Amino acid sequence: MPSTTFHVDAALFDMDGTLVDSAAGVTGAWELFKEKYPNIDVHDILSCSHGIRTVDNLRNFCGIEDPEELESEAKRFETAIVDASKLNGRQGIVRLPGVTEAIQELAPGRHLPKPCWAICTSATRVYASAALKSAEIPVPDVFVTSEDVSKGKPDPEPYLLGAQKCGVKPENCVVFEDAPNGVRSGKAAGCKTIGFLTTHSLEQMQAVKPDFLVRDLSSVTVRRTENGVEVTVRTD
């Protein structure tokens, strides 16, 4: 299997669909919201909403505009993800393949003032913290959530902020993403991008042209170095 190895100052990870599998919970949350918003099409939403902030999805699909209502409904939605992920025998929120090895390499110890990895998620801090706890993934020193940015993915702000908080230039970072909008965000920030096929089709991911496209994190090896992260990507 051919491989490519390169070095970056920091690795920036999306969360849902990249580090954790929360698909069952997200489906359950939208099914719950259909009770209040009967005109939404859950299947259509699931095909295009991944990687976008909950407040933006609720604004776009449910027509909620009031800021206070948006915040309240976003909290209700993300609480429903955690609750629904374990209903009816569902597995809950769990690590995706390859994540255990990557976290074991990157997470031990604290690395301030220059961390070598970050999570930059479209989720709220409350939900993201609960999801990471459920999957037994430690919260990194740099943890960018929806509340930290004025514009979510595909805008570059989440990954620009992640790089900034790591104390490095975005062009010296690699972004790990499962969603087209996330890849767009990373590319717009100037980062190298690695796309995963965990939640979207091959055609959808190829269309946004990540630098590498692999099944999941099990196709990637990361190794901490004195001044960053060595990344090896294995492609078919």
Side-chain angles (χ1 to χ4, degrees), residues 56-198:
D56 294 329
N57 279 327
L58 293 177
R59 183 185 294 112
N60 294 335
F61 295 110
C62 300
I64 307 171
E65 293 293 343
D66 179 74
E68 291 187 2
E69 184 181 4
L70 264 177
E71 182 179 358
S72 174
E73 287 292 80
K75 288 180 179 178
R76 184 169 77 92
F77 185 91
E78 294 192 346
T79 296
I81 295 176
V82 178
D83 293 341
S85 70
K86 293 185 177 180
L87 290 178
N88 302 319
R90 292 170 174 162
Q91 65 180 352
I93 298 173
V94 297
R95 296 184 187 187
L96 283 162
V99 173
T100 297
E101 294 80 3
I103 294 302
Q104 287 174 345
E105 177 66 21
L106 298 176
R110 294 179 65 81
H111 311 296
L112 293 173
K114 197 172 180 180
C116 66
W117 74 293
I119 292 176
C120 303
T121 175
S122 298
T124 63
R125 187 165 295 266
V126 170
Y127 162 67
S129 299
L132 292 175
K133 182 178 180 180
S134 179
E136 298 183 343
I137 296 174
V139 175
D141 293 328
V142 176
F143 188 32
V144 176
T145 61
S146 64
E147 300 95 330
D148 298 318
V149 298
S150 58
K151 295 180 180 179
K153 304 169 188 177
D155 191 271
E157 186 178 353
Y159 287 117
L160 289 174
L161 182 59
Q164 177 187 333
K165 287 181 173 291
C166 285
V168 300
K169 296 179 180 179
E171 57 265 32
N172 295 333
C173 294
V174 62
V175 161
F176 296 86
E177 266 285 355
D178 70 299
N181 277 320
V183 172
R184 293 187 182 101
S185 175
K187 288 168 68 74
C191 304
K192 192 181 294 292
T193 55
I194 300 177
F196 292 163
L197 295 172
T198 50

